[in-house]
Amino acid sequence: MIRVLLADDQLLVRAGFRALLDAQRDIEVAGEAADGEEAVRLVRELSPDVVLMDIRMPRLDGLAATRRITGDERLNGVKVVMLTTFELDEYVFEAIRSGASGFLVKDTEPEELLRAVRAVVEGDALLSPGVTRRLIAEFAARSKAPTEAAGLGELTEREREVMALVGIGLSNDEIARRLVVSPLTAKTHVSRTMVKLGARDRAQLVVLAYESGLVRPGWLG
């Protein structure tokens, strides 16, 4: 079973997500939190697989709560998916830097929510093309000159290529089609790249791909 913690200050939002998730055979809601402080406490107590974390909450916001969770080595297996009201949320950039594995807009389709929960448990980051493009555009506006990420020199040419494709928002299947390899081979390349760079998940590869210069704003078209 995939155990999910819901963290949102709106009871109605939590109730809606719980009804959807609990109806799945492979997913259960482990607990609910109405603010960031409670979310961190329950994560430490319940060790869920996934946290659906609202960005804006009282006492402790979702970003600060996420930093506490991802910064705790004992909680390495916990994945955080941020819940935003709009894809252009001003905090999307900071959420990735805080260690979030992906984003969902609150009015997302039910199937997309379920796919997201299952995807992050499998080690894939939920970064829709729209969000990824905006994320990279944000890096373009904020980042300084590219610097080589630690471990980048250990990557093979193919792994660098795969990392760049991850950076522009392609899924494993899309990468496989682009490189004319199997999806399993594409996934293996992504996994090896993450290990070599010490990336927590696919989302951090996007960050590193841009910061190292493997992805540039001109590639957004």
Side-chain angles (χ1 to χ4, degrees):
M1 293 290 287
I2 299 172
R3 303 174 68 251
V4 179
L5 178 73
L6 304 175
D8 194 297
D9 61 331
Q10 297 182 46
L11 178 59
L12 190 59
V13 171
R14 297 200 311 271
F17 283 162
R18 174 181 278 277
L20 174 64
L21 296 171
D22 276 343
Q24 309 306 306
R25 293 183 178 180
D26 60 334
I27 302 174
E28 67 177 4
V29 175
E32 297 182 26
D35 59 65
E37 290 282 2
E38 187 178 18
V40 174
R41 179 180 63 79
L42 287 177
V43 167
R44 289 171 176 163
E45 178 182 321
L46 302 173
S47 296
D49 300 301
V50 180
V51 182
L52 295 181
M53 180 86 74
D54 187 20
I55 285 183
R56 297 180 179 87
M57 289 188 294
R59 294 181 65 196
L60 188 70
D61 66 36
L63 291 175
T66 297
R67 283 193 288 270
R68 290 190 188 180
I69 293 168
T70 60
D72 190 334
E73 293 184 357
R74 296 168 298 178
L75 303 175
N76 278 343
V78 179
K79 305 295 185 181
V80 180
V81 174
M82 305 301 299
L83 300 173
T84 68
T85 304
F86 305 104
E87 281 194 349
L88 283 172
D89 195 296
E90 61 186 296
Y91 297 114
V92 164
F93 176 87
E94 292 303 328
I96 281 291
R97 299 302 296 267
S98 299
S101 294
F103 308 91
L104 279 177
V105 289
K106 287 188 178 181
D107 62 352
T108 189
E109 293 293 325
E111 285 303 317
E112 180 69 12
L113 172 65
L114 298 174
R115 187 186 72 80
V117 169
R118 294 177 177 120
V120 295
V121 169
E122 291 297 320
D124 292 332
L126 178 70
L127 287 170
S128 70
V131 171
T132 301
R133 289 168 190 270
R134 291 180 176 94
L135 176 65
I136 297 173
E138 189 76 8
F139 274 113
R142 297 189 184 198
S143 294
K144 299 178 181 178
T147 57
E148 183 162 312
L152 198 65
E154 298 180 18
L155 300 184
T156 64
E157 285 301 313
R158 176 47 60 91
E159 287 166 349
R160 282 173 174 257
E161 189 175 11
V162 167
M163 181 176 172
L165 294 176
V166 169
I168 62 175
L170 299 192
S171 67
N172 287 344
D173 287 345
E174 291 168 332
I175 291 172
R177 289 194 293 272
R178 179 75 66 90
L179 300 180
V180 194
V181 298
S182 71
L184 179 59
T185 297
K187 183 176 182 179
T188 298
H189 283 313
V190 172
S191 297
R192 287 177 178 170
T193 301
M194 286 169 52
V195 170
K196 289 183 178 181
L197 296 179
R200 176 183 174 92
D201 55 28
R202 197 183 189 96
Q204 288 194 342
L205 277 188
V206 174
V207 174
L208 294 174
Y210 186 83
E211 289 185 333
S212 64
L214 286 180
V215 171
R216 297 180 175 83
W219 295 13
L220 295 177

